[in-house]
Amino acid sequence: MDISISWVAVFVAAVANMAVGFVWYGPLFGKMWQSLMGFNEESMKNMPLTAKQAISGGFVTALIMSYVLAHFAYLSGVDTVSGGLQLAFWVWLGFIATASASSFLWEGKPFKLFVLNAVEQLVALSLMVCVILWLW
């Protein structure tokens, strides 16, 4: 099977993922997220990774997610925005939302935090698949 993945699409989709996260956890819901996590300004300064390290790691994970999503789109024959959004939803529901639920189920995090994170992931995944289809 010969899959020709557009690296430009993968890269731009990863950037789109990071942009959604920046806006979501910044101006839109940053204070809410910080409160739900139990963080304050001091604890944020004492995080184990620097902001640069966390952003770099986040970009690597976004690249991996984008690359795999492109494969899923190819393998499922998705070539329309409607099909892409359906793919994003099912990938989100089957893998991302279910894996993220452990923070609520086992780690004692608030359900509201789970919802905040899960919706951000659905928005990001939906934008990523649209970018992949648009640039591929």
Side-chain angles (χ1 to χ4, degrees):
M1 174 171 53
D2 183 27
I3 299 177
S4 177
I5 299 294
S6 168
W7 286 102
V8 171
V10 167
F11 181 83
V12 174
V15 170
N17 176 295
M18 297 296 289
V20 169
F22 176 79
V23 172
W24 194 270
Y25 294 110
L28 284 182
F29 302 110
K31 295 293 181 190
M32 179 191 299
W33 174 82
Q34 190 175 344
S35 173
L36 290 169
M37 288 293 294
F39 292 153
N40 58 37
E41 293 301 322
E42 188 61 33
S43 63
M44 294 289 285
K45 291 178 186 174
N46 294 322
M47 299 295 272
L49 297 178
T50 66
K52 185 177 180 180
Q53 290 170 324
I55 290 168
S56 297
F59 188 67
V60 169
T61 63
L63 280 170
I64 294 167
M65 182 183 291
S66 181
Y67 184 74
V68 172
L69 189 59
H71 274 277
F72 281 6
Y74 175 83
L75 294 172
S76 61
V78 169
D79 60 359
T80 65
V81 170
S82 174
L85 293 175
Q86 288 180 47
L87 174 65
F89 173 78
W90 290 113
V91 167
W92 172 82
L93 182 64
F95 300 104
I96 295 174
T98 54
S100 299
S102 64
S103 66
F104 167 69
L105 297 171
W106 301 106
E107 297 171 9
K109 300 289 184 188
F111 181 72
K112 192 172 183 179
L113 178 63
F114 162 70
V115 172
L116 180 71
N117 290 334
V119 173
E120 184 274 340
Q121 293 163 341
L122 178 60
V123 170
L125 199 60
S126 297
L127 180 59
M128 289 172 73
V129 78
C130 288
V131 167
I132 288 167
L133 292 173
W134 177 58
L135 291 176
W136 194 347

